[in-house]
């Protein structure tokens, strides 16, 4: 894969870049590989849930300047209701 193509398929999370390749979609699930570019590591995953756990594990290992990430939380959402009672 060319370097220019990687930017289309990569996503920045907490200062790290991951390339996710989906090899198979079966039984409403994905199987593939996830590559952590900064650490030069590639791991296969057998399900979407396993992929999420691998991402979470990698993010937990990333040092931050203040020690915390500012991710969204279900408790912090302030979204207006989709419908109104009017």
């Amino acid at each position: 894969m060319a370097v220019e193509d990687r930017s289309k398929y990569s996503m920045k999370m907490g200062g790290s870049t991951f390339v996710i390749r989906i090899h198979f979609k079966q039984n409403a699930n994905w199987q593939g590989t996830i590559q952590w570019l900064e650490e030069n590591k590639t791991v296969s995953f057998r399900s979407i849930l396993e992929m999420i756990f691998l991402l979470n594990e990698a993010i937990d290992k990333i040092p931050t300047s203040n020690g915390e990430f500012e991710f969204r939380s279900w408790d912090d959402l302030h979204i207006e209701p989709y419908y109104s009672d009017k």
Side-chain angles (χ1 to χ4, degrees):
M1 177 181 287
V3 175
E4 304 84 46
D5 293 339
R6 280 190 181 167
S7 63
K8 289 192 293 188
Y9 302 108
S10 61
M11 180 178 172
K12 283 284 199 181
M13 294 183 68
S16 286
T17 307
F18 301 93
V19 176
I20 299 171
R21 292 181 182 91
I22 309 301
H23 299 289
F24 303 102
K25 293 188 284 185
Q26 183 178 10
N27 298 330
N29 227 330
W30 296 345
Q31 295 87 40
T33 57
I34 183 167
Q35 183 178 9
W36 187 1
L37 296 182
E38 286 78 13
E39 296 291 321
N40 198 25
K41 294 181 180 180
T42 302
V43 178
S44 297
F45 59 88
R46 298 166 290 187
S47 69
I48 297 169
L49 184 60
E50 188 172 45
M51 179 189 73
I52 292 169
F53 281 128
L54 288 166
L55 284 169
N56 188 50
E57 180 184 348
I59 289 170
D60 284 344
K61 292 180 180 181
I62 299 169
T64 60
S65 59
N66 64 357
E68 291 188 23
F69 291 104
E70 293 186 20
F71 290 124
R72 293 184 189 179
S73 167
W74 289 104
D75 298 328
D76 296 337
L77 294 179
H78 300 287
I79 300 174
E80 295 297 320
Y82 180 71
Y83 61 91
S84 74
D85 294 339
K86 294 180 184 178

